[in-house]
Amino acid sequence: MTKPVLLTVDDDPGVSRAVARDLRRRYGEGHRVVRASSGKEALDALKELKLRGEQVAAMLADYRMPEMNGIEFLEQAMDLFPRARRALLTAYADTDAAIQAINLVDVDHYLLKPWDPPEEKLYPVVDALIETWRAAGETAVDEIKIVGHRWSAPTFAARDFLARNAVPYRYYSIDEPEGRRLLDAAAADPAEIPVVITTDGRPLLAPSDAEIAAAVGLTVDPATDFYDLIVVGGGPAGLGSAVYGASEGLRTVLVERQAAGGQAGQSSRIENYLGFPDGVSGAQLTDRARRQAVKFGAEMLTARDVVALEVHGSARVVRFGDGSRIAAHAVILATGVSYRSLAAPGCHELTGRGVYYGSANTEAPECAGTDVYIVGGANSAGQAAVFFSKHARSVTLVVRGESLHTSMSHYLIQQLEAIANVHVRTRTTVGQACGDDHLESIRLDHADGTTEFVDTGHLFVFIGALPRTDWLDGVVRRDERGFVWTGPDLLTDGRRPSGWTLDRDPFYLESSVPGVFVAGDVRAQSVKRVASAVGEGAMAVTLVHRYLEEQ
Ligand SMILES: Cc1cc2nc3c(=O)[nH]c(=O)nc-3n(C[C@H](O)[C@H](O)[C@H](O)COP(=O)(O)OP(=O)(O)OC[C@H]3O[C@@H](n4cnc5c(N)ncnc54)[C@H](O)[C@@H]3O)c2cc1C
């Protein structure tokens, strides 16, 4: 924990040194003494302290300073640290002005220069200042800070990104005084939110995921340019591949566009994964898998989007969004699927401002006491309903089908039936999302042709998913929806796919390009489950070994 600061500002270097020396002698063990020689310099120092999340216990300012006098300084300093206690240093002749200042800027004390001996004249005053400050109970914030607004989609995206990467942060709204103070200290405009402030006090205005990742210590750059194995995608299949690849001695790098865990990482409770009889949250499972992969030596790149796959002789080359590349002997594609978006009018505009895809766990506290709507009738929607029922006043599942029984596991239906504040509206769809700068209501369209508007600020959408594999167009064979064909499915009447160069059939999880394997949800005809994704990730590594033996 950093020590609270005692700040002294005086334009006379001799006086300034003497105050700082006296303060250090008595308070140095428990406090950090910061010295400035002008009001401006002191304000700059305070802005830095604010961004770093440090505390300022007391400020001692000289009254007579050129450009900005002590009262003017304290007035501005109060905007940054309203709880810090304040004292004004004056010469005898300025006593009257100083006394008036006590009313003007709520100065706690004024000190007459010279203050010798400090034991009598300085320390009792500073003791009192520190005691009053302590009583207010302020604590230092040494986490990453995000300053933003509840209805700002980029703010939501930044919070979600950090949460999904298990990076702790503290959130400040620009509607609150401390949020505004941080915004001022960062010299940022409300249009530039979110402002992400690193633990060493560096403000990033409206940063990209990659900028946030680099600033908070996530690995974004590869250590080398050639590997044995590149795994694209950090969901269960990719993590499975990374654990098995690295543990079996392959130089392995995993590249993840957003945050490890994929869809599973967003699940509030996975109840059917082997070995977890009481269920496990996606975040926990992801954290364990990520640590396991790193322990075995896998490199994990975050916030890196793979946009192309190229074949150069025996090298398989992967290109990133910024144009840089890495290559390997073999590649495992584990890019899973992404949520389909709701086409109803208003949904696109209000995404991140009341309309969310996936569980958006960061929103849970905001749902307290409100009515939440969830669209979808599959397990993912059911899990979300169970999760949000613990926070919201009510949760309504909006389901297009006749009943949940055709689309949701029996155990989940039973759980939902036992929760009093969960309601199910079958044969219903969302026809419109309404609201100016955030979601305020939705229109429900019923199968009998009737419609109704209901008030809500939270709509969570789980209506299936699609593989986003356009970047693989013309490289590997895909089905009409974009899922990647592998193994026996690539053979037509026993004939190998065109362009296939090897004197054997593709291995079971191998794509139409030798040495490029596919695991998990992105594979055509795969079972969409955590267990099967992990299993395929492991199995793909075994096939990579077989492929490498042939080279
Ligand atoms: C809310 C929810 C709850 C679920 N609950 C269960 C459950 O209880 N039990 C169960 O068995 N299954 C459950 N599932 C299904 C299960 O999560 C998926 O089947 C599983 O996550 C698939 O794993 P995957 O690794 O193939 O793909 P994904 O989990 O989709 O991961 C793919 C990863 O690849 C990344 N990626 C994509 N494209 C690129 C690119 N070009 N460059 C870099 N990275 C990229 C993505 O960002 C993502 O992180 C649930 C799914 C959801 C959404």
Side-chain angles (χ1 to χ4, degrees):
M1 188 62 80
T2 50
K3 297 175 184 175
V5 165
L6 300 178
L7 178 116
T8 142
V9 46
D10 199 308
D11 64 312
D12 179 335
V15 176
S16 170
R17 258 197 309 277
V19 185
R21 183 203 55 217
D22 286 344
L23 289 176
R24 269 193 202 107
R25 209 171 57 210
R26 176 151 170 141
Y27 303 102
E29 210 173 298
H31 300 80
R32 192 154 78 82
V33 177
V34 173
R35 180 158 79 88
S37 59
S38 70
K40 162 139 191 355
E41 194 185 315
L43 284 174
D44 286 346
L46 287 177
K47 283 178 186 164
E48 245 184 84
L49 293 168
K50 172 103 284 177
L51 292 175
R52 287 210 297 261
E54 294 193 38
Q55 309 151 284
V56 177
M59 304 182 279
L60 282 69
D62 184 30
Y63 171 61
R64 237 173 226 275
M65 292 189 291
E67 286 162 21
M68 186 188 290
N69 71 31
I71 297 170
E72 288 162 345
F73 160 72
L74 288 174
E75 219 176 345
Q76 293 189 40
M78 274 165 69
D79 290 342
L80 288 163
F81 287 95
R83 298 226 183 102
R85 302 329 308 168
R86 302 171 278 275
L88 200 63
L89 270 66
T90 59
Y92 185 73
D94 296 323
T95 316
D96 281 352
I99 290 171
Q100 281 166 20
I102 292 187
N103 300 325
L104 204 72
V105 287
D106 195 19
V107 167
D108 299 280
H109 290 274
Y110 68 95
L111 281 159
L112 278 183
K113 292 198 264 188
W115 57 89
D116 276 337
E119 282 74 12
E120 273 177 34
K121 298 195 176 151
L122 178 69
Y123 298 154
V125 168
V126 179
D127 281 350
L129 292 175
I130 293 176
E131 207 172 295
T132 320
W133 172 78
R134 273 229 181 89
E138 193 174 307
T139 50
V141 178
D142 51 9
E143 292 154 321
I144 289 155
K145 299 184 260 305
I146 296 190
V147 188
H149 193 267
R150 188 176 162 196
W151 303 123
S152 140
T155 301
F156 168 74
R159 295 180 66 185
D160 195 48
F161 176 75
L162 285 181
R164 289 183 56 196
N165 277 294
V167 178
Y169 67 86
R170 191 171 296 190
Y171 172 64
Y172 298 87
S173 167
I174 56 168
D175 288 340
E176 294 158 13
E178 188 64 4
R180 280 196 298 278
R181 284 194 275 277
L182 285 165
L183 209 62
D184 286 348
D189 191 86
E192 293 170 300
I193 57 169
V195 175
V196 175
I197 303 164
T198 60
T199 46
D200 58 0
R202 195 155 47 92
L204 310 171
L205 313 190
S208 65
D209 280 358
E211 286 166 329
I212 299 177
V216 303
L218 297 169
T219 309
V220 286
D221 292 318
T224 180
D225 53 9
F226 200 92
Y227 294 83
D228 292 325
L229 173 63
I230 298 172
V231 180
V232 186
L239 287 166
S241 301
V243 166
Y244 284 91
S247 68
E248 291 168 15
L250 298 176
R251 278 170 305 152
T252 303
V253 62
L254 181 148
V255 186
E256 166 54 47
R257 169 157 65 195
Q258 216 210 358
Q263 300 165 70
Q266 296 191 48
S267 167
S268 41
R269 194 136 213 95
I270 300 166
E271 306 244 18
N272 53 4
Y273 186 53
L274 188 74
F276 293 91
D278 303 318
V280 58
S281 77
Q284 254 183 56
L285 192 65
T286 302
D287 180 55
R288 285 165 191 233
R290 182 171 36 198
R291 283 192 284 122
Q292 202 172 8
V294 169
K295 183 188 88 177
F296 284 125
E299 224 179 289
M300 311 274 285
L301 309 185
T302 306
R304 296 306 296 263
D305 202 3
V306 172
V307 298
L309 174 68
E310 294 156 14
V311 177
H312 295 295
S314 65
R316 305 289 174 260
V317 180
V318 150
R319 182 147 50 85
F320 297 122
D322 65 359
S324 60
R325 297 150 199 258
I326 50 174
H329 295 300
V331 167
I332 295 177
L333 300 172
T335 52
V337 292
S338 315
Y339 293 110
R340 271 179 46 210
S341 45
L342 200 61
C347 285
H348 176 69
E349 294 77 4
L350 294 168
T351 297
R353 296 189 284 138
V355 177
Y356 303 97
Y357 290 89
S359 283
N361 291 358
T362 40
E363 276 302 300
E366 308 286 354
C367 294
T370 69
D371 299 316
V372 164
Y373 284 75
I374 294 175
V375 193
N379 281 3
S380 50
Q383 284 178 7
V386 173
F387 175 72
F388 284 109
S389 70
K390 294 175 192 134
H391 300 271
R393 179 170 54 196
S394 76
V395 176
T396 305
L397 265 178
V398 181
V399 184
R400 182 191 293 272
E402 297 269 327
S403 91
L404 288 176
H405 289 274
T406 47
S407 52
M408 196 178 283
S409 297
H410 183 61
Y411 79 89
L412 258 180
I413 297 175
Q414 279 183 321
Q415 271 185 32
L416 292 176
E417 281 170 355
I419 304 173
N421 64 339
V422 172
H423 314 286
V424 182
R425 306 286 293 268
T426 53
R427 304 180 72 224
T428 304
T429 56
V430 171
Q432 190 182 355
C434 315
D436 285 333
D437 77 336
H438 65 272
L439 181 71
E440 287 166 30
S441 63
I442 54 174
R443 196 186 74 217
L444 296 179
D445 295 354
H446 305 294
D448 62 8
T450 58
T451 62
E452 74 185 291
F453 281 91
V454 289
D455 291 341
T456 182
H458 287 95
L459 179 70
F460 296 95
V461 184
F462 296 85
I463 52 165
L466 288 171
R468 307 247 186 255
T469 53
D470 293 351
W471 58 282
L472 290 168
D473 192 28
V475 185
V476 294
R477 296 263 313 275
R478 301 176 302 146
D479 72 8
E480 66 291 348
R481 289 186 298 161
F483 291 99
V484 184
W485 289 116
T486 54
D489 291 332
L490 286 165
L491 304 180
T492 334
D493 301 328
R495 274 181 294 114
R496 293 169 187 156
S498 61
W500 182 258
T501 49
L502 301 182
D503 190 20
R504 62 158 173 81
D505 288 349
F507 291 138
Y508 183 60
L509 298 179
E510 202 168 19
S511 71
S512 56
V513 173
V516 174
F517 296 83
V518 190
D521 280 12
V522 71
R523 198 174 67 78
Q525 309 292 341
S526 66
V527 173
K528 310 301 187 237
R529 284 271 185 269
V530 176
S532 48
V534 173
E536 289 192 4
M539 185 174 166
V541 170
T542 304
L543 299 174
V544 165
H545 282 297
R546 261 191 230 167
Y547 167 79
L548 293 178
E549 279 161 20
E550 298 172 341
Q551 302 303 300

